[in-house]
Amino acid sequence: MLDAFSRAVVAADTKTAPIGAAEIAELKTFIANGNKRLDAVNAISSNASCIVSDAVSGMICENTGLIQSGGNCYPNRRMAACLRDGEIILRYVTYALLAGDASVLEDRCLNGLKETYTALGVPTTSTARAVGIMKAAAVAFVNNTASKRKFDVTSGDCASLAAETAGYFDRVIAAVS
Ligand SMILES: CCC1=C(C)/C(=C/C2=NC(=C\c3[nH]c(/C=C4\NC(=O)[C@H](C)[C@H]4CC)c(C)c3CCC(=O)O)/C(CCC(=O)O)=C2C)NC1=O
């Protein structure tokens, strides 16, 4: 598992090179935006159960067959597994956002997930839809534009953190699709 710093070290070591000016500049930006990043992680983490339950119920509203006999969220045992998976995925996205690196998400959550889902008959289009709704909600929390829950934080430009957050969700969708 890497973060922005260890990634720079591994990349430099692979080239047998010292840490260069470009890497230093990139890490300076990472540090300068550190508090913003922590606020973004907090905004998502402290609303995690809301984000997950909203996404899973939205997914089901659009496809009620999921909670009928034969659907993959039926019976309650599967519904619980689905909600739990949503929480797991969102948790690993927040870890990646904190670290500024996707490896924790890739290695500990996404590695083998598609195979697991295929084996269990978990529908990938529905998974992608639920993750897509979580993405929209999480990005709104990062930008502090979520309608009901505004955070009392110094406002600034969160475009790059929002794009980074969106990118982690895109990795999840790509991994299970
Ligand atoms: C550390 C990382 C980690 C991940 C990612 C993980 C996922 C994971 N999800 C599973 C099951 C499952 N996952 C779902 C999820 C869904 N069904 C749907 O229709 C929706 C599309 C979706 C929710 C959005 C369901 C219903 C099951 C149970 C399937 C079954 O047992 O038939 C299983 C099989 C074992 C179990 O049921 O616990 C694993 C391993 N476990 C882990 O430890």
Side-chain angles (χ1 to χ4, degrees):
M1 172 201 155
L2 300 174
D3 55 56
F5 294 90
S6 51
R7 185 178 59 229
V9 170
V10 169
D13 190 37
T14 310
K15 297 181 287 183
T16 327
I19 303 286
E23 288 79 19
I24 299 278
E26 212 173 288
L27 290 172
K28 266 191 181 164
T29 310
F30 186 82
I31 292 165
N33 288 322
N35 285 329
K36 245 191 228 183
R37 184 175 291 273
L38 293 177
D39 281 341
V41 170
N42 182 36
I44 299 174
S45 301
S46 56
N47 287 291
S49 59
C50 162
I51 294 171
V52 172
S53 55
D54 179 66
V56 171
S57 56
M59 173 195 75
I60 288 170
C61 281
E62 291 172 2
N63 180 6
T64 50
L66 285 165
I67 50 167
Q68 283 152 27
S69 179
N72 202 262
C73 288
Y74 178 90
N76 284 332
R77 179 188 68 78
R78 288 203 186 87
M79 181 75 240
C82 180
L83 285 162
R84 179 210 57 195
D85 282 13
E87 274 174 16
I88 293 173
I89 289 167
L90 189 62
R91 185 162 58 80
Y92 279 99
V93 165
T94 61
Y95 294 165
L97 185 61
L98 182 71
D101 187 277
S103 60
V104 63
L105 171 68
E106 292 283 355
D107 301 348
R108 300 193 188 184
C109 179
L110 302 182
N111 182 16
L113 188 58
K114 186 183 167 72
E115 291 75 9
T116 304
Y117 278 180
T118 304
L120 292 168
V122 175
T124 53
T125 45
S126 297
T127 307
R129 179 63 185 136
V131 174
I133 300 174
M134 290 205 291
K135 170 182 165 182
V139 165
F141 277 111
V142 170
N143 283 323
N144 209 17
T145 53
S147 45
K148 296 260 161 55
R149 300 192 183 183
K150 291 236 189 287
F151 278 80
D152 189 15
V153 288
T154 318
S155 54
D157 182 1
C158 295
S160 129
L161 277 166
E164 186 181 324
T165 304
Y168 296 133
F169 286 100
D170 290 340
R171 277 174 179 268
V172 177
I173 293 170
V176 295
S177 296

